[in-house]
């Protein structure tokens, strides 16, 4: 469930565009007005505002925001204003660049989006970067990471709830045998995690748990410092319980010395319209403190106001 609060009576896109124009004019930028509008419109409404703004003022709204805003607040507003598929394409492209390289973000986009969402990301990637996401991921990664990530970003999983229990049982055994032998990058392990539907994977992992007495992620902790195993555990968590995966990303971002604003911004902007309600519940359960409180303690100013508005906190 989403936490984004959209007013009952939403002004027309041209009214919103006009108000945003006013927020940019004059001596100082009216940041509160930008938050009041953009943090309270859904993706379709934000797309309409961008389109109308461009037609009315001959300028790209994103370019204007970039010019007017700074630092973490700027990044959060820009990311959220983007269409979800464009946003993911942008994040994925950043993740294949030398200085912002991240296998984790590539995995996160591949595993937590629906098949159709991932397909739209790949289309947006073609349009924006004139190449495919798959070729950039393949070019950017090597060895076991390439072996895992390319099939993950290439997947178009079945989305239905149907489950084959016989298959779940046999594939749970395959996974257990390979993991027991420490063959973590075996093609069978990668085939199962990168092609099976989320419902089928859940059934397989339940079988694994009941048949072998351990959750699969426990068995994948044989070497806690192994970076590939960390990523493989995250793949499984992201595919089966995304709210727990995102809770952990937020917890680590907030608890980190100096905090990791990029991770915090990414999770809030990408999940506000998806499953932020469940992520907040998971956060409260795990940390005994509401996510709003943790974010408020860790951030300040317009950046704080914008994030709190996106997670549906109070009057933000």
């Amino acid at each position: 469930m989403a936490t984004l609060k959209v007013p009952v009576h939403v002004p027309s896109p041209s009214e919103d565009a006009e108000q945003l124009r006013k927020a940019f004019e004059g001596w100082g930028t009216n940041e509160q007005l930008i938050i009041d509008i953009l943090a309270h419109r859904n993706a379709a409404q934000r797309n309409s505002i961008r389109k109308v703004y461009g037609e009315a003022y001959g300028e790209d709204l994103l370019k204007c925001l970039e010019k007017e805003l700074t630092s973490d607040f700027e990044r959060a507003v820009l990311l959220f204003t983007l269409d979800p598929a464009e946003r993911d394409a942008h994040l994925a492209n950043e993740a294949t660049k030398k200085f912002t390289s991240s296998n984790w973000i590539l995995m996160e986009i591949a595993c937590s989006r629906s098949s159709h969402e991932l397909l739209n990301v790949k289309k947006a990637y073609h349009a924006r970067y004139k190449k495919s996401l798959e070729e950039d991921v393949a070019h950017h990664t090597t060895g076991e990471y390439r072996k895992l990530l390319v099939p993950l970003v290439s997947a178009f999983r079945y989305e239905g709830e149907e489950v084959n229990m016989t298959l779940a049982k046999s594939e749970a055994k395959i996974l257990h045998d390979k993991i027991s032998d420490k063959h973590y990058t075996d093609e069978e392990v990668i085939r199962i995690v990168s092609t099976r539907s989320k419902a089928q994977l859940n059934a397989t992992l339940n079988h694994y748990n009941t048949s072998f007495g351990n959750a699969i992620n426990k068995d994948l902790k044989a070497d806690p410092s192994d970076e590939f195993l960390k990523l493989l555990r995250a793949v499984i968590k992201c595919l089966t319980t995304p709210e727990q995966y995102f809770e952990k990303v937020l917890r680590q971002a907030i608890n980190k010395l100096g905090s990791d604003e990029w991770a915090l911004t990414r999770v809030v902007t990408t999940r506000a319209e998806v499953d932020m309600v469940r992520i907040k519940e998971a956060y409260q359960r795990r940390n005994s403190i509401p996510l709003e409180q943790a974010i408020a303690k860790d951030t300040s100013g317009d950046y704080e106001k914008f994030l709190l508005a996106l997670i549906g906190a109070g009057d933000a």
Side-chain angles (χ1 to χ4, degrees), residues 125-172:
Y125 203 96
H126 284 191
R128 175 82 177 77
Y129 301 106
K130 307 298 176 240
K131 46 193 172 163
S132 74
L133 173 59
E134 292 87 339
E135 70 181 294
D136 273 359
V137 171
H139 179 68
H140 159 74
T141 53
T142 54
E144 53 197 2
Y145 293 103
R146 180 188 287 167
K147 207 172 166 184
L148 175 65
L149 287 165
V150 173
L152 284 176
V153 297
S154 309
F156 189 72
R157 297 173 197 269
Y158 176 61
E159 290 280 332
E161 291 304 315
E162 293 82 355
V163 164
N164 178 333
M165 282 308 188
T166 315
L167 185 66
K169 210 169 179 175
S170 66
E171 292 195 336

Side-chain angles (χ1 to χ4, degrees), residues 252 254-260:
Q252 289 176 333
I254 290 168
N255 294 348
K256 199 177 173 184
L257 194 66
S259 69
D260 180 352

Side-chain angles (χ1 to χ4, degrees), residues 10-19 45 48-50 52-53:
V10 178
S12 70
S14 55
E15 283 175 74
D16 278 342
E18 197 181 322
Q19 287 300 308
Q45 290 161 345
S48 298
I49 295 168
R50 271 176 72 190
V52 169
Y53 191 94

Side-chain angles (χ1 to χ4, degrees), residues 255-267:
N255 294 348
K256 199 177 173 184
L257 194 66
S259 69
D260 180 352
E261 278 82 9
W262 274 43
L264 180 56
T265 298
R266 184 182 80 249
V267 175

Side-chain angles (χ1 to χ4, degrees), residues 84-95 102-115 117-119 121-122 125 133 149 152-153 198 238-239 245-246 266 270-271:
E86 282 181 281
R87 182 199 301 137
D88 281 345
H90 172 79
L91 288 168
N93 182 258
E94 258 183 2
S102 170
N103 291 333
W104 283 75
I105 293 172
L106 296 171
M107 176 284 298
E108 189 180 289
I109 290 168
C111 297
S112 66
R113 305 329 187 227
S114 72
S115 298
E117 285 165 350
L118 184 55
L119 182 62
V121 174
K122 292 191 264 195
Y125 203 96
L133 173 59
L149 287 165
L152 284 176
V153 297
K198 291 175 183 180
C238 210
L239 286 166
Y245 166 80
F246 285 113
R266 184 182 80 249
T270 58
R271 308 315 287 178

Side-chain angles (χ1 to χ4, degrees), residues 148-298:
L148 175 65
L149 287 165
V150 173
L152 284 176
V153 297
S154 309
F156 189 72
R157 297 173 197 269
Y158 176 61
E159 290 280 332
E161 291 304 315
E162 293 82 355
V163 164
N164 178 333
M165 282 308 188
T166 315
L167 185 66
K169 210 169 179 175
S170 66
E171 292 195 336
K173 187 179 184 319
I174 292 171
L175 288 172
H176 185 259
D177 291 349
K178 299 295 180 188
I179 290 168
S180 299
D181 294 338
K182 294 189 163 37
H183 293 162
Y184 306 120
T185 61
D186 188 279
E187 59 186 37
E188 284 295 87
V189 174
I190 287 169
R191 174 187 66 78
I192 294 166
V193 301
S194 67
T195 65
R196 292 298 180 204
S197 74
K198 291 175 183 180
Q200 184 66 38
L201 261 181
N202 266 312
T204 300
L205 299 182
N206 284 339
H207 261 293
Y208 188 105
N209 206 347
T210 50
S211 305
F212 307 109
N214 252 351
I216 189 168
N217 272 2
K218 208 162 183 191
D219 289 344
L220 287 170
K221 267 193 178 142
D223 177 359
S225 61
D226 184 317
E227 288 301 318
F228 178 77
L229 283 190
K230 278 185 198 168
L231 188 66
L232 188 55
R233 291 198 301 274
V235 166
I236 288 163
K237 203 177 222 185
C238 210
L239 286 166
T240 54
T241 52
E243 66 280 2
Q244 286 178 19
Y245 166 80
F246 285 113
E247 180 281 320
K248 188 175 182 180
V249 177
L250 286 172
R251 171 166 29 101
Q252 289 176 333
I254 290 168
N255 294 348
K256 199 177 173 184
L257 194 66
S259 69
D260 180 352
E261 278 82 9
W262 274 43
L264 180 56
T265 298
R266 184 182 80 249
V267 175
V268 172
T269 55
T270 58
R271 308 315 287 178
E273 295 180 271
V274 187
D275 54 358
M276 187 50 81
V277 169
R278 284 199 294 277
I279 295 168
K280 281 167 71 173
E281 286 165 359
Y283 193 92
Q284 170 89 43
R285 267 198 312 276
R286 177 68 175 70
N287 304 283
S288 310
I289 168 176
L291 180 59
E292 291 89 319
Q293 217 173 305
I295 289 178
K297 212 169 102 185
D298 203 51

